[in-house]
Amino acid sequence: MQEQIALLADAMKQADYILIGAGAGLSAAAGLSFADETLFRERYPYWAARGRHSEYHMFSFHDWTTEQQWAYMADHISRVRFETPPLPLYQALKTILEEKLAEKDFMILTSNVDRQFARNNFPPERVFEYQGNYDYLCCTQQCSSTIWPFRPIMEQMLLHIDADIASIPAAQIPHCPYCGAPLRLAFRDYPAYETEKANYQSWLTKSEQGMLCIIEIGVGFNSPGVIRVPFERITQERNNVKFFRITVDYPDSEEEIAYPEIPRPIAEKSCSINADAGFVIQELLKIL
């Protein structure tokens, strides 16, 4: 384990560019886990009594009313986005990139929507939230490009949740004030998203000019097309690249199995570190 972390530290020092891919495993290592079954039973007893095990388990759940879906999302987003403070592990990663390796040109691609990078004051031009965030609502009919902050609407929903049926009243479902259609979470449908995407793609092109160190942290198979597959493809296509996959198996949870294996075609350019992201980041802090 220490040998692999030392290899990562050396690759980061030698690189001209550092590309970080951050998945749910990074936030889990920082203390924000979607696989916590005890927390789920305490916070969502209605759904636990009906066979749901965790917030991960709810991502693929569809057998509910619209009122129940909004009630769950309001509480889930409240916990993930607003109740959870900026997490120290993100600050540790920021220290590595901005202080220990201050001369390096870095970029972060994340599938997380918890806004931990923004809340820990990473430079916005160096972070691309591929799947957007929880902050806004938009019209399902796209009658306009207007977006609405979700937090005040969420807070009203939380006041009206009936815990016995895990539901809000129909009157609390948000609707577009222009056309009357239901609103939905905007995720990627906000004005700055395309600018952020173009900035990331421009950085990828620029990084072809030097040695690239790719570090994938806590990425599984919930959305492999966001980070896992593209990073493997970049590694395969480029010559001046080193790829590190930091993830840990979760043998006790059927929802969170990350698979630290490296595909054979990129094995010579790659290194798997089968360890908790928090441990790896703290070790990097010591040796960089």
Side-chain angles (χ1 to χ4, degrees):
M1 183 70 63
Q2 295 295 336
E3 181 180 349
Q4 286 104 331
I5 296 174
L7 288 173
L8 171 56
D10 287 341
M12 295 175 80
K13 291 175 184 177
Q14 295 169 15
D16 302 298
Y17 301 92
I18 297 175
L19 175 60
I20 305 284
L26 176 58
S27 286
L32 179 59
S33 175
F34 294 161
D36 188 331
E37 298 184 7
T38 300
L39 181 148
F40 185 83
R41 287 192 297 271
E42 293 173 351
R43 190 141 184 162
Y44 307 106
Y46 178 91
W47 295 116
R50 286 156 179 79
R52 301 291 97 186
H53 306 307
S54 68
E55 288 167 292
Y56 264 127
H57 209 191
M58 295 297 283
F59 289 162
S60 59
F61 184 65
H62 303 290
D63 189 19
W64 51 12
T65 66
T66 301
E67 291 83 358
Q68 287 176 320
Q69 182 181 19
W70 274 113
Y72 173 78
M73 291 305 298
D75 192 86
H76 169 74
I77 292 170
S78 177
R79 180 179 91 84
V80 171
R81 174 66 179 88
F82 299 106
E83 295 172 32
T84 302
L87 298 169
L89 187 60
Y90 280 81
Q91 275 298 311
L93 179 60
K94 188 169 184 282
T95 297
I96 290 172
L97 294 171
E98 294 191 343
E99 297 180 22
K100 299 284 188 176
L101 299 169
E103 76 281 7
K104 305 299 181 181
D105 190 346
F106 73 89
M107 176 61 70
I108 295 166
L109 173 67
T110 183
S111 56
N112 298 340
V113 293
D114 53 28
R115 307 237 68 194
Q116 279 294 322
F117 286 106
R119 299 182 68 200
N120 279 279
N121 297 313
F122 280 75
E125 69 275 11
R126 293 192 177 277
V127 180
F128 177 32
E129 295 173 317
Y130 185 97
Q131 299 195 124
N133 58 63
Y134 284 141
D135 286 3
Y136 302 106
L137 298 175
C138 64
C139 177
T140 54
Q141 296 301 310
Q142 297 181 320
C143 72
S144 76
S145 59
T146 305
I147 55 175
W148 292 267
F150 181 47
R151 187 172 189 176
I153 296 171
M154 174 199 77
E155 290 174 346
Q156 285 300 307
M157 290 180 179
L158 293 174
L159 293 174
H160 292 86
I161 292 176
D162 184 339
D164 291 336
I165 56 174
S167 182
I168 59 170
Q172 292 297 316
I173 297 174
H175 288 81
C176 176
Y178 301 135
C179 71
L183 299 181
R184 63 170 174 81
L185 290 165
F187 289 112
R188 290 175 279 188
D189 293 313
Y190 58 92
Y193 182 84
E194 290 303 321
T195 299
E196 294 169 7
K197 181 179 180 180
N199 180 52
Y200 171 70
Q201 293 172 335
S202 176
W203 187 93
L204 280 182
T205 299
K206 180 176 66 171
S207 70
E208 295 175 358
Q209 301 170 9
M211 183 68 191
L212 174 64
C213 178
I214 301 177
I215 309 168
E216 180 194 280
I217 308 175
V219 176
F221 280 95
N222 279 321
S223 50
V226 176
I227 297 172
R228 195 175 183 106
V229 173
F231 279 20
E232 290 176 358
R233 185 176 64 249
I234 293 169
T235 302
Q236 187 167 8
E237 291 175 350
R238 297 195 188 186
N239 294 320
N240 295 328
V241 61
K242 293 290 184 182
F243 173 61
F244 292 83
R245 170 162 285 153
I246 303 170
T247 191
V248 62
D249 281 324
Y250 295 83
D252 297 327
S253 175
E254 64 184 62
E255 283 83 51
E256 193 173 356
I257 301 176
Y259 299 106
E261 291 79 10
I262 299 289
R264 190 170 298 172
I266 62 170
E268 291 184 358
K269 305 175 185 177
S270 308
C271 177
S272 173
I273 304 178
N274 188 355
D276 180 82
F279 173 78
V280 176
I281 289 171
Q282 293 301 330
E283 288 299 301
L284 287 173
L285 270 177
K286 296 175 186 177
I287 62 179
L288 282 170

